[in-house]
Amino acid sequence: MFQQMKYFIAVVDEHSFTLAAEKCNISQSAISQQIKELNQTIGTPLLERQGRSFELTPAGKYFYRQALTIVNQVEQALKNTRQIANNEQNEYILKLGYLQMFGTTEFLRAVTVFTEQYPEVKVNITSGQHDQLFKLLREDRIDLDFSDQRRALSDEYNNEFLTKAPLMVNIAKGILKLNDYQVTTDQLKNISCVLVAPDASEEQYCRDVLGIKSEFLNAKTIDEARIMIASRQGYMVANERTIQEIKNDNTQSRYLYNGRTQLFQNYYAYWKKDNSGYYIEAFADILKQQF
């Protein structure tokens, strides 16, 4: 029945027995016979003829959705099985990337658990900023990217949500009269925003996604940014987890709002759908369990 499911999916996707037969490399009469046998096995018609065309019956619509899931699961299981068999003969290297500014606690805990469960797999780890990691993932130089969300989620990737953290501003004391909890982008518009970034993508993210209205100053390192903040040259945006790296006794931190909307940073594990495999998905599951 598994092969018949694949034929049925092809017929529905192509909306043509002729095109489905070509796609599956069999004759039209053979694929028609297979669909007929599938109807007999299930005990109800899945397709309803309408002149030279056809439509799915209600039962056919249900079966199509279920067949898609089953076929994908079986094919993934076969792929994973072959991968494990190949790894018994050849060393498998899992290439992981993680965001520098997030902190390593959960990520390294996931690596520890993974290596304990899969000692046969060698793990390579790369750290970097968001765009650096995304470029490595796009070029297949890493298998999985643990990073924050900076753009719309793509259907070309598996996007596994992990956690979110509220964004905060760190600024020298006395520059603004702030309440005990929050500051808005409007309050900051006449003060420079300090960025630690190798290119313009961070500035674009701050303007387009966060709604920052300030001018921007670039720092080469976190230490340089801290000095700029302490010397009242500007403020810096970080999240609740990473703000500890930049604040000191001469600065104050407040939650960041755009108008009345509190701003958050979302974190995901990303990996290509066409590079999805047993070990990548196993690590993603372990990483998710750490949050």
Side-chain angles (χ1 to χ4, degrees):
M1 182 180 284
F2 177 70
Q3 189 60 53
Q4 290 175 339
M5 285 182 177
K6 294 177 70 174
Y7 291 149
F8 176 69
I9 291 170
V11 168
V12 175
D13 287 347
E14 300 296 330
H15 204 75
S16 165
F17 280 81
T18 301
L19 294 177
E22 292 177 1
K23 181 178 180 179
C24 297
N25 295 315
I26 63 172
S27 67
Q28 182 177 340
S29 60
I31 202 169
S32 297
Q33 181 61 34
Q34 290 294 317
I35 300 303
K36 181 179 179 181
E37 291 179 7
L38 181 61
N39 289 334
Q40 293 172 347
T41 300
I42 295 173
T44 187
L46 303 175
L47 302 173
E48 187 174 55
R49 287 284 185 181
Q50 293 185 353
R52 295 184 178 181
S53 185
F54 64 83
E55 295 295 334
L56 286 165
T57 64
K61 292 178 181 178
Y62 172 80
F63 186 78
Y64 174 74
R65 293 193 299 269
Q66 297 300 312
L68 275 177
T69 300
I70 292 169
V71 168
N72 288 336
Q73 287 177 341
V74 171
E75 289 183 341
Q76 187 63 56
L78 293 173
K79 179 181 177 181
N80 292 342
T81 302
R82 295 188 193 103
Q83 185 182 74
I84 293 171
N86 290 336
N87 293 338
E88 292 173 356
Q89 302 174 11
N90 305 294
E91 181 181 56
Y92 182 83
I93 300 175
L94 180 64
K95 296 167 290 185
L96 306 172
Y98 76 91
L99 190 66
Q100 269 177 342
M101 286 290 292
F102 182 82
T104 60
T105 303
E106 292 87 355
F107 183 82
L108 292 185
R109 193 162 57 220
V111 171
T112 300
V113 173
F114 179 85
T115 54
E116 288 175 351
Q117 293 184 12
Y118 305 97
E120 72 277 12
V121 178
K122 181 179 179 180
V123 177
N124 282 354
I125 300 175
T126 302
S127 64
Q129 295 191 358
H130 176 277
D131 281 356
Q132 294 171 324
L133 295 174
F134 183 71
K135 184 174 186 291
L136 293 176
L137 183 65
R138 191 174 59 241
E139 295 174 352
D140 296 321
R141 292 158 63 189
I142 59 175
D143 299 313
L144 180 144
D145 169 19
F146 165 49
S147 187
D148 56 338
Q149 181 186 2
R150 296 299 180 95
R151 50 177 61 84
L153 299 177
S154 171
D155 290 338
E156 296 179 16
Y157 296 85
N158 291 294
N159 308 292
E160 185 69 52
F161 175 76
L162 299 174
T163 189
K164 70 177 182 178
L167 286 169
M168 303 187 75
V169 164
N170 188 245
I171 190 170
K173 293 178 179 178
I175 294 183
L176 285 175
K177 291 183 179 180
L178 304 176
N179 66 29
D180 292 336
Y181 302 105
Q182 68 188 60
V183 61
T184 68
T185 54
D186 277 336
Q187 289 176 282
L188 297 165
K189 64 184 179 182
N190 295 320
I191 305 170
S192 296
C193 179
V194 179
L195 302 178
V196 182
D199 53 42
S201 62
E202 188 78 5
E203 181 177 329
Q204 184 178 0
Y205 167 72
C206 288
R207 287 203 186 282
D208 296 347
V209 178
L210 303 184
I212 300 292
K213 302 174 178 65
S214 308
E215 296 296 323
F216 292 95
L217 298 175
N218 289 311
K220 295 179 181 178
T221 65
I222 289 292
D223 285 339
E224 183 180 342
R226 293 179 67 188
I227 292 171
M228 293 170 72
I229 296 167
S231 60
R232 307 168 75 90
Q233 296 180 50
Y235 66 90
M236 190 171 182
V237 177
N239 66 53
E240 192 176 49
R241 297 178 55 97
T242 58
I243 200 78
Q244 304 298 329
E245 297 183 30
I246 56 176
K247 71 178 186 178
N248 57 57
D249 293 340
N250 298 316
T251 64
Q252 54 189 337
S253 299
R254 296 291 185 270
Y255 291 104
L256 180 60
Y257 282 69
N258 187 353
R260 296 183 178 182
T261 303
Q262 186 174 5
L263 300 177
F264 290 86
Q265 205 158 27
N266 294 323
Y267 291 89
Y268 286 80
Y270 305 97
W271 67 99
K272 281 186 176 180
K273 287 186 176 179
D274 61 9
N275 189 36
S276 185
Y278 177 71
Y279 292 120
I280 297 173
E281 294 180 2
F283 181 81
D285 286 341
I286 292 171
L287 181 60
K288 188 172 184 177
Q289 293 168 19
Q290 309 310 310
F291 292 95

